[in-house]
Amino acid sequence: MLDVSGYQAGISASALSQSEIALAVKVTEGTGESNTDWRRQAQTGLDQGRTVLLYHFPRLGDSDPQAEAYLTATSGWWGQGRVIPVLDWEEASYTAGILDYPDFAADWLARVASRTGTTPWIYAGPSTAARGDHAGLKKYPLWLAAYPYSTRQGWGAQASLDWAVGLVGGLPGWTIAAWQYTGTGRIDGYGGDIDMSELYATKDDLARWAGGTASGASASAMILPVGEAPISQDFGQNGTQYNLASGGHTGRDYAVPTGTTVKASLAGTVVWADWVSNLPGDDSAAGWASRWYLHKQFGGICVVIDHGDFLTVYAHLNSTGKNPGDRVSTGDPVGESGATGAATGPHLHWEVLPKPFAWSNGYYGRVHPYNFLTTYNASHTAGDTASVATKDWFDMASRQDLAEVVNDVLHQNDGFIRRCIHDVIHNEKFNREGSINGKPVGGQTTLVTEAQYSAQNFGRLKADVLFAQKQIADLKAEIATLKEGK
C-alpha cells in the first residue's frame, strides 16, 4: 500500500496503480488542507478500484476544530463503503508533546466515526501504541509505523511484523491493519521517495471499516430522491408521446411542487450540473453517447451523478448549487425541483443508467429506476431498504378510509392544473429575461425554442385538463362502488 501526500503532488495514475487494494492520501493538517492534490490522488485510487484512506495530521490544540476542518474538506466522500478516515498520531518537531494528550485522539476518532459512519484507523509507532494511557484507542485498527532499515526502496519489508511488534515487547489488544516499513520507497514511474506499507486487512475488513457490506455490515442504501412523492409518469409509459425513446418514458416523474429539495440517491461524483442545452456533443452517435443521450431541448437544468457502476439523472430542476467534480453523500441536496426545459408542470424526472451503457435497449441505456433501487438495496445492504407502500397498508385500511383519500385527491386536481399554468408562465418569464435563476442557456436552446415550449405547454395543458376530467369521472365511479360495498 502506498501513502501519498503533498510531497507526491502530480504523481501519475500509473504510478498510483501499483498501490494494490488500498491507497492512503493525506488531506489535512491542523485546521487546513495540506495537500492541494489530494482530491485527484484519492479519486484516482477510487477509479482504480482501491479502498482509499484519507488521513489527518494533528497540530497542538483542541481536537474539535481540527475534526471539523477534516470533515468539511472530505464532505461528500463518505457513504460509498470505500473510504476510511485515519488519524496520523505521531509527533513532529513542531508538535512535540501532542502524544501526551490521548483524549485528543479519542475525541477526534469518535467524532469522525460518528459523522462518517466508518471505523477510522489510527497511525502510530510501536512506542506510542504501547503506552498505557492509549489503551482506550485499541478499538480502532492500528496502522503501525516502524522502519527496520534506514533506507528501503522496494516492495516488501525484508523483516517480519514480529520484529516491529517486538520492539516494545508486543502490542496486545490491537488489530494491526497495516505496517508502514519505509519512508524511502521507490516505485516505477515516480522518481522520489514514497511511504510503503504491508497491508494485513482483507478486502472484507476494508469494506466493513469503510461502512460497507462485508461480514453482514450494512452499506448506505439507495434512496428515493424526493421520498414517496406522487408519480405522474412512470418508466416506459406513453410510448413515444412526449418521449423520443422507442420504449417510452426513460425515467420516473414525481409530481412535486417547485422548490422541493432533490436528494442524491447514493454517494457519488457530480459529472454535470447545468442546463442540458450546454452539454457538448453533436447529433452523431458519438455526440449523443458523449452526453449520455440527454436531449438538449428536454431536460432543462439537470444534475448527473456517477456512482461508479451506474449514473443517476435529476432533470427539470429549478436550480442547483452543484458543479462537476463535487462529491455527494447519500441524501445530500443536489438541487430544487422545477419545470425547466420541456415540462408540462413542476416535477422531478429521475433516471438510472447502468454501466456499461446499453444505448440500444429502447430507453437509451436507462432502466426502471425504482426496480434498480430495489435490486441494488437487496444486494448491497443487510436489510436497509427504501420505505415503500405495501399491500399491508391497503389490507388494514377500510374502504371508507380509501374513499376519503380518493376524495382528497379529487380536490387536488385544480392545483394540478394551476401547476401546468405555472409552467407556461415560467417559460414566458424565460422568454423575457433570457435565463432562469442565474443559469444561462446556450447550445441549441434559444429564445425561439423556449417560446415553442410555451406553445406546446398551452396545448398540453388542454390535454391535461381533459385527462384530469376523465380521472375525476373514473374515481367518482370507484368511490360510488366503494360506498355501496361499505
Side-chain angles (χ1 to χ4, degrees), residues 444-479:
Q444 296 181 0
T445 299
T446 64
L447 291 176
V448 173
T449 301
E450 289 296 324
Q452 291 173 345
Y453 290 163
S454 294
Q456 292 169 2
N457 282 334
F458 275 118
R460 290 173 182 172
L461 175 58
K462 181 178 179 180
D464 289 332
V465 170
L466 293 174
F467 179 71
Q469 288 174 343
K470 183 178 183 302
Q471 282 187 312
I472 291 171
D474 292 343
L475 289 170
K476 283 182 176 178
E478 291 293 330
I479 291 171

Side-chain angles (χ1 to χ4, degrees), residues 192-218:
D193 291 339
I194 193 167
D195 295 343
M196 305 174 79
S197 299
E198 287 188 350
L199 186 66
Y200 302 112
T202 67
K203 290 183 178 180
D204 277 357
D205 292 331
L206 296 173
R208 185 175 65 253
W209 293 328
T213 60
S215 302
S218 176

Side-chain angles (χ1 to χ4, degrees), residues 55-386:
Y55 67 91
H56 169 73
F57 188 91
R59 292 288 191 99
L60 289 164
D62 189 356
S63 68
D64 289 352
Q66 297 191 43
E68 290 302 321
Y70 173 86
L71 291 166
T72 298
T74 58
S75 175
W77 286 76
W78 314 107
Q80 54 187 321
R82 297 177 57 200
V83 183
I84 299 173
V86 182
L87 177 64
D88 185 349
W89 191 234
E90 60 178 324
E91 284 184 334
S93 59
Y94 51 89
T95 62
I98 195 170
L99 299 181
D100 293 328
Y101 299 94
D103 287 347
F104 179 111
D107 292 345
W108 190 96
L109 291 163
R111 179 180 291 246
V112 170
S114 174
R115 297 273 289 278
T116 62
T118 64
T119 301
W121 288 15
I122 182 169
Y123 171 100
S127 59
T128 301
R131 290 176 55 150
D133 57 358
H134 281 53
L137 303 177
K138 292 183 180 180
K139 61 183 178 181
Y140 300 104
L142 174 64
W143 181 6
L144 191 64
Y147 301 163
Y149 303 99
S150 58
T151 60
R152 171 60 183 154
Q153 296 186 343
W155 287 104
Q158 292 188 337
S160 68
L161 180 62
D162 289 341
W163 169 85
V165 174
L167 293 174
V168 290
L171 291 171
W174 284 100
T175 298
I176 300 177
W179 169 30
Q180 186 177 103
Y181 57 83
T182 183
T184 56
R186 293 297 175 95
I187 57 174
D188 294 338
Y190 182 72
D193 291 339
I194 193 167
D195 295 343
M196 305 174 79
S197 299
E198 287 188 350
L199 186 66
Y200 302 112
T202 67
K203 290 183 178 180
D204 277 357
D205 292 331
L206 296 173
R208 185 175 65 253
W209 293 328
T213 60
S215 302
S218 176
S220 176
M222 280 188 74
I223 65 170
L224 299 173
V226 286
E228 294 290 343
I231 299 167
S232 55
Q233 185 178 197
D234 212 348
F235 183 84
Q237 288 186 342
N238 293 333
T240 58
Q241 184 184 14
Y242 313 146
N243 302 292
L244 296 183
S246 60
H249 193 225
T250 57
R252 171 174 279 190
D253 288 350
Y254 289 101
V256 290
T258 297
T260 300
T261 299
V262 177
K263 299 179 179 180
S265 292
L266 196 69
T269 302
V270 176
V271 292
W272 185 257
D274 201 346
W275 286 85
V276 292
S277 55
N278 292 329
L279 277 165
D282 55 22
D283 286 338
S284 66
W288 278 100
S290 71
R291 61 177 184 271
W292 313 291
Y293 272 77
L294 286 171
H295 198 292
K296 290 188 176 184
Q297 297 181 5
F298 277 17
I301 298 174
C302 181
V303 170
V304 181
I305 301 175
D306 191 333
H307 306 283
D309 295 330
F310 64 97
L311 306 179
T312 52
V313 178
Y314 312 81
H316 304 300
L317 300 179
N318 195 52
S319 63
T320 178
K322 295 301 180 184
N323 293 289
D326 287 351
R327 299 286 304 184
V328 294
S329 297
T330 304
D332 279 355
V334 299
E336 294 184 344
S337 64
T340 55
T344 60
H347 71 283
L348 171 70
H349 175 85
W350 178 49
E351 296 182 346
V352 171
L353 292 80
K355 299 179 183 178
F357 303 120
W359 301 128
S360 60
N361 74 340
Y363 301 94
Y364 301 128
R366 278 73 170 160
V367 298
H368 195 301
Y370 184 79
N371 292 350
F372 183 93
L373 176 148
T374 302
T375 302
Y376 180 92
N377 287 347
S379 61
H380 287 74
T381 66
D384 289 344
T385 58

